[in-house]
Amino acid sequence: MNDLVPSRLVLLRFLERVQERDLARTRRWIVGEERREAGRQRGIQARPPTPEWLLDMGLNRRGPALYVHVGDCWNAGRRGRAIGRDQARRALAEGVKACPQCQPDAAPGMLD
């Protein structure tokens, strides 16, 4: 009857194999996560710099501009295009509204 019960050494060897398999799987997960993180970092580094100013064109790209935004405004639409400080100043002087959230017209030296 004792022949059917595995010895302590056999049980420990079995446990060792299970743990080695788990460790190998964990290491594969770590390698995969390191690859994903490296890809995220490459994406962050390859991202173009945030423009200083944006001109929000609204739904109709051929129509008049809707708002002037500071480049990192959270409310800027996807249809915005990057513009320079002089262009932003000119657009505001020509009557394009300033975004009520980022208030580009309140930026220092904007409406001198």
Side-chain angles (χ1 to χ4, degrees):
M1 194 172 224
N2 276 345
D3 293 339
L4 297 177
V5 176
S7 72
R8 183 168 167 78
L9 181 59
V10 170
L11 290 174
L12 289 171
R13 293 287 182 198
F14 171 75
L15 177 60
E16 180 183 37
R17 286 191 309 271
V18 169
Q19 288 178 336
E20 284 174 347
R21 189 177 57 225
D22 286 347
L23 181 58
R25 181 180 58 209
T26 301
R27 287 181 175 154
R28 285 192 307 270
W29 290 346
I30 289 170
V31 167
E33 188 59 33
E34 287 172 341
R35 282 187 193 139
R36 283 187 290 280
E37 183 61 29
R40 277 191 289 273
Q41 291 302 318
R42 281 191 307 274
I44 289 170
Q45 291 171 354
R47 186 177 298 153
T50 303
E52 190 176 359
W53 306 95
L54 290 171
L55 192 60
D56 192 348
M57 300 305 291
L59 294 175
N60 184 1
R61 286 190 173 266
R62 291 180 185 87
L66 297 179
Y67 292 106
V68 174
H69 297 274
V70 174
D72 60 353
C73 177
W74 64 269
N75 198 35
R78 293 184 181 175
R79 294 169 185 86
R81 64 181 171 103
I83 58 174
R85 183 180 199 85
D86 291 336
Q87 290 172 307
R89 189 180 291 162
R90 193 172 330 127
L92 289 169
E94 291 173 358
V96 177
K97 293 180 183 176
C99 171
Q101 279 71 35
C102 64
Q103 300 176 345
D105 52 343
M110 196 57 183
L111 294 179
D112 292 339

